[in-house]
Amino acid sequence: MASRDIVQYQAPLSRAFGWFSAVFLALYLVWTLLPILVMFISSFKDLLEAFKIPPVGDWAGVTLFFDFTPTFKHYENLFVNLNFSQYMANSLIAAGGSAAISVILGSMAAYSLSRIDFHGKSDLLFWIISTRMAPVVAVMVPLYWIFRELELVGTLPGLILAYTTFNLPFAIWILKGFFDDVPYAIEEAQMVDGATRFQAFLSILPLVGPGIGAVVVLCILFAWNDYLFAAIIGSGGAKTLSVATRELVQPQNIQWGPIMAAGVVTTLPMMLLGLVIRRYLVAGLTMGAVKE
Amino acid sequence: MVTVSIEKVWKIYGRIPAVKDLNIECANGSFLSILGPSGCGKSSTMRMIAGLEHISAGEIRFDGRRINDLAPKDRDVAMVFENYALYPHKSVYENMANPLKLRGQAEVRIRERVLAAAKLLEIAELLDRRPQELSGGQKQRVAIGRAIVREPKLFLFDEPIAHLDAKLRAHMRGEIRHLQRTLGTTVIYVTHDQLEAMSMADRIAVMHEGVLQQLATPREVYNKPVNAWVAGFVGEPAMNFLDCTLEETGGQVRFVHPTFRIAVTPEQARLLEASNRAQGIRLGVRPDALTISLAKSKEESMTGRIFVNELLGGDMIVDVDLGPERVRVKTSTDFAGNEGDVCYITANRDKWHAFSKETGRTIF
Ligand SMILES: Nc1ncnc2c1ncn2[C@@H]1O[C@H](COP(=O)(O)OP(=O)(O)OP(=O)(O)O)[C@@H](O)[C@H]1O
Ligand SMILES: [Mg+2]
């Protein structure tokens, strides 16, 4: 798992390929980062300044884009008038809650599925992942009906439950792969040393740390970026950032400034999450535990 | 300290039986070695004793108490695994402290025990390292250390020193034996190396294809093997086997082989008489019970041709072709024979064995 230096040999072809990939990556970065840059800068611009666009073909006019007096009024507007702090909290709770539940239940289920053999195990595994095969819209109507009967519509627990039904199968599948890679011997040694099965399970969790990190990120991203569930099941009481942002687009009045600011507010936490969790995603812990 | 009784134990994986009707009694405070080639069911037996593997049939008792359904942690055994099974995310110290921590011992006492064990195993300077920063031999010593910090009722060693170099292995053999003597703890020690079993154990259980062949002291296993298989497995270099027929002339019973006719002792003649000799006989004789010479002696001897000489330090092993078969003879280094020379081999008749050709059972 831990990577090694790769011996490289210089050949004309590989050098050409190196140049090609550099150019490709540069273009790709511009393609992906430019919109974010525009969003970020525009969120600090007054509406008039935001729409100052140079004529087509006037490349020198690009400087116009950076020529503005920064203002925080859109952010003020979001948090003071538009109640965005509430929506942000909702988003955080829904994403974090569902990620936590998915990781806890998922790791226990994945451990069992990895360690215990029983009849129909492969069918069960397939069934678990098959729940993710239908697109969300396909199950939305029955799900809505069930949630309404249970009076979960428009509540945070309802939203967490909805995200968990979709995150859990994912968590189980990813984590099972990680548990499969942990040698039995480690937990067997734990049990002989005096641990219960559950203690032994807990003791190998650090070894699947990268898997848990990956699952947390994927679960949070799924919930954080979701619009459909939030709009339908969370509608009303559990409004999240994505829904609130969408509501800024009104038929008569598209509020560009607040929309850009909301975009930044929605994107930044996920970027921070990526930075924080990156450390845990680095694998390589099981190396050397067991003689192959 | 505990008496371990394995009674009519079977281990069946799916359809494949790995251990068949095993009966072993290991006395309190004794050192039992389970010896056998790879895949004979040694580890399976060990894992059943530790509680890591379900016992398909039969019973295992500690001091008369049935433990089939006891969880590993309640059996109070310590095990050294074939593949070390160290915790990769913990330091050497934490690895060794783990069993004591799990049993809720005080930090001071844990420290004391771990340091003592580390000193004994000469790994005191490695305590802060992680397992991946250790060599194979060091890992193995940490694994042993983790087992001996506790004072369990029973030690289980599954080939604990198989991956050390020869010198360290010899050293560890002595250390483990000494440790067992001082602690007085019952030990079950699995190995495929007959030298380890012979040099350490009070008693050896020889297994082959899941079946117990012989349970006896090392001396007895070596000198009185129950069958040709055990005779061939124990001893280095291995015993020579020669298919013979029997012939009786003038009151003398002789082994007859295309290259020799040698009389047996009257005692042996009687034993051969009692056995069913129509089956044919395999003569078994260890390399050190044979004497080779370039001059024909007065005694009845085997005539052969030297195939190759091997110098092994203080000894020489000579491979000799006896017709279609080849035997190995141990001799001193000043033996002057060269490849291709005709030579004569005499056997120490008190040290040879006869086995039934069909069943392999020992006749004497
Ligand atoms: N989990 C398992 N499932 C199926 N068969 C198994 C399993 N474990 C062991 N076996 C089989 O049981 C037999 C005995 O295995 P075991 O591990 O006890 O051998 P061993 O004597 O310890 O060998 P070695 O010296 O190579 O460690 C082997 O034929 C092996 O293939
Ligand atoms: Mg084994």
Side-chain angles (χ1 to χ4, degrees):
Chain A
M1 291 209 271
S3 49
R4 295 208 182 156
D5 286 347
I6 293 176
V7 184
Q8 291 202 326
Y9 306 96
Q10 282 291 342
L13 200 64
S14 74
R15 211 168 300 147
F17 183 77
W19 277 107
F20 174 76
S21 29
V23 171
F24 176 82
L25 284 177
L27 285 176
Y28 184 78
L29 278 181
V30 171
W31 169 262
T32 50
L33 291 184
L34 199 57
I36 295 177
L37 184 73
V38 170
M39 174 181 82
F40 190 73
I41 293 178
S42 305
S43 73
F44 292 104
K45 285 181 182 175
D46 192 76
L47 200 58
L48 285 176
E49 281 175 324
F51 280 94
K52 268 197 286 184
I53 295 170
V56 178
D58 177 15
W59 285 100
V62 168
T63 50
L64 202 63
F65 187 66
F66 295 99
D67 173 27
F68 65 98
T69 37
T71 164
F72 282 97
K73 69 174 188 187
H74 299 311
Y75 290 93
E76 260 178 57
N77 190 14
L78 279 188
F79 286 98
V80 177
N81 304 325
L82 294 170
N83 201 16
F84 256 60
S85 47
Q86 179 62 45
Y87 307 146
M88 190 162 188
N90 286 349
S91 270
L92 279 175
I93 292 169
S98 123
I101 294 175
S102 301
V103 159
I104 291 169
L105 295 183
S107 57
M108 291 197 280
Y111 176 77
S112 317
L113 286 167
S114 163
R115 290 307 194 243
I116 301 167
D117 261 325
F118 52 88
H119 261 293
K121 177 162 137 178
S122 53
D123 299 326
L124 180 65
L125 272 170
F126 180 75
W127 172 74
I128 288 173
I129 200 65
S130 73
T131 59
R132 282 297 304 257
M133 285 176 182
V136 174
V137 268
V139 295
M140 201 34 121
V141 173
L143 213 56
Y144 180 77
W145 184 81
I146 294 170
F147 274 57
R148 201 189 51 197
E149 291 300 302
L150 296 173
E151 297 185 359
L152 288 170
V153 172
T155 64
L156 271 176
L159 201 52
I160 290 175
L161 188 62
Y163 289 144
T164 305
T165 51
F166 270 72
N167 278 334
L168 193 53
F170 231 25
I172 292 174
W173 264 72
I174 294 176
L175 287 172
K176 179 179 176 292
F178 278 87
F179 278 114
D180 285 345
D181 282 346
V182 177
Y184 282 33
I186 294 173
E187 57 201 276
E188 287 177 348
Q190 280 280 4
M191 288 193 280
V192 173
D193 277 355
T196 61
R197 181 112 213 171
F198 189 68
Q199 282 174 315
F201 159 71
L202 292 181
S203 79
I204 61 168
L205 282 184
L207 302 178
V208 294
I212 289 179
V215 167
V216 166
V217 170
L218 289 174
C219 289
I220 289 185
L221 282 181
F222 174 79
W224 189 267
N225 293 336
D226 165 75
Y227 176 74
L228 203 55
F229 277 113
I232 296 173
I233 291 189
S235 64
K239 199 188 283 180
T240 61
L241 281 179
S242 55
V243 176
T245 307
R246 173 66 181 73
E247 284 175 359
L248 295 174
V249 183
Q250 290 149 356
Q252 274 79 37
N253 177 19
I254 299 176
Q255 307 186 39
W256 284 114
I259 287 176
M260 291 298 158
V264 172
V265 165
T266 313
T267 318
L268 268 188
M270 291 304 105
M271 289 185 171
L272 285 180
L273 177 73
L275 284 181
V276 170
I277 210 106
R278 195 173 55 174
R279 222 152 54 86
Y280 300 98
L281 292 177
V282 179
L285 265 176
T286 41
M287 296 289 288
V290 162
K291 170 185 66 67
E292 272 89 29
Chain B
M1 274 178 261
V2 71
T3 302
V4 182
S5 326
I6 300 173
E7 285 170 19
K8 302 206 184 78
V9 161
W10 288 72
K11 178 67 211 179
I12 300 168
Y13 294 107
R15 290 257 177 71
I16 312 154
V19 175
K20 302 171 199 164
D21 196 32
L22 188 65
N23 287 287
I24 293 178
E25 178 95 14
C26 176
N28 189 357
S30 73
F31 194 121
L32 174 83
S33 176
I34 301 180
L35 173 67
S38 188
C40 73
K42 306 181 298 286
S43 295
S44 304
T45 306
M46 210 61 153
R47 294 166 54 80
M48 285 190 285
I49 299 172
L52 298 171
E53 205 80 65
H54 176 72
I55 299 169
S56 307
E59 271 190 0
I60 298 181
R61 296 170 189 279
F62 286 179
D63 284 335
R65 176 161 168 246
R66 185 187 141 102
I67 50 123
N68 288 35
D69 304 311
L70 226 52
K73 74 181 177 70
D74 299 322
R75 297 190 184 197
D76 197 16
V77 302
M79 181 159 172
V80 178
F81 286 77
E82 203 169 359
N83 51 13
Y84 323 135
L86 301 177
Y87 313 127
H89 51 296
K90 293 184 174 175
S91 70
V92 168
Y93 178 87
E94 289 164 331
N95 262 282
M96 289 171 65
N98 188 57
L100 299 174
K101 263 205 193 109
L102 282 167
R103 284 179 163 68
Q105 303 255 5
E107 195 62 47
V108 196
R109 188 171 148 66
I110 294 179
R111 172 141 222 109
E112 187 184 304
R113 302 275 317 169
V114 171
L115 292 183
K119 193 158 163 241
L120 178 74
L121 295 162
E122 296 173 19
I123 47 174
E125 69 285 357
L126 305 176
L127 286 175
D128 295 326
R129 297 212 201 157
R130 296 271 168 123
Q132 62 263 44
E133 297 160 350
L134 301 178
S135 75
Q138 290 167 334
K139 281 183 209 172
Q140 209 143 37
R141 279 181 283 164
V142 175
I144 295 173
R146 186 174 58 183
I148 65 175
V149 288
R150 262 169 66 204
E151 279 163 14
K153 280 197 291 209
L154 172 65
F155 280 121
L156 300 174
F157 290 103
D158 195 349
E159 314 211 11
I161 57 177
H163 306 286
L164 305 186
D165 65 57
K167 193 163 161 240
L168 194 54
R169 201 154 58 213
H171 174 69
M172 288 305 296
R173 274 206 303 267
E175 287 295 338
I176 293 176
R177 182 71 243 219
H178 177 74
L179 190 80
Q180 193 265 341
R181 284 275 153 80
T182 11
L183 296 177
T185 313
T186 314
V187 168
I188 299 184
Y189 186 104
V190 160
T191 177
H192 64 254
D193 179 351
Q194 49 95 27
L195 179 68
E196 258 173 48
M198 298 298 267
S199 61
M200 295 165 80
D202 295 322
R203 295 213 301 160
I204 300 181
V206 188
M207 285 181 74
H208 178 43
E209 291 177 352
V211 180
L212 177 68
Q213 306 287 318
Q214 187 167 10
L215 176 60
T217 62
R219 194 161 302 205
E220 205 176 332
V221 169
Y222 188 82
N223 293 325
K224 291 183 185 144
V226 289
N227 59 33
W229 190 87
V230 173
F233 189 71
V234 174
E236 175 65 37
M239 184 181 274
N240 300 298
F241 291 103
L242 295 162
D243 285 342
C244 294
T245 51
L246 291 177
E247 178 197 80
E248 191 169 352
T249 43
Q252 269 285 15
V253 178
R254 284 190 169 79
F255 285 126
V256 178
H257 183 265
T259 62
F260 63 82
R261 302 151 66 84
I262 305 181
V264 302
T265 64
E267 164 86 357
Q268 289 167 349
R270 233 175 331 100
L271 288 166
L272 286 168
E273 190 76 41
S275 74
N276 180 4
R277 11 179 200 139
Q279 292 174 338
I281 298 293
R282 295 193 88 185
L283 171 62
V285 55
R286 297 197 186 277
D288 51 4
L290 292 171
T291 313
I292 188 168
S293 117
L294 293 176
K296 196 161 171 57
S297 72
K298 291 185 288 296
E299 273 180 78
E300 289 174 314
S301 62
M302 313 171 182
T303 311
R305 203 174 274 281
I306 297 177
F307 177 69
V308 74
N309 292 341
E310 277 173 59
L311 202 57
L312 292 182
D315 296 317
M316 177 132 81
I317 304 291
V318 187
D319 286 23
V320 179
D321 281 333
L322 288 180
E325 283 161 302
R326 184 168 293 159
V327 296
R328 313 189 82 196
V329 182
K330 194 167 178 177
T331 186
S332 66
T333 48
D334 38 347
F335 176 67
N338 287 316
E339 287 157 31
D341 289 352
V342 172
C343 63
Y344 304 93
I345 301 172
T346 52
N348 180 343
R349 293 190 294 176
D350 295 328
K351 284 193 175 173
W352 66 8
H353 301 271
F355 306 98
S356 152
K357 200 159 165 184
E358 234 155 57
T359 60
R361 190 146 327 125
T362 303
I363 298 167
F364 58 78

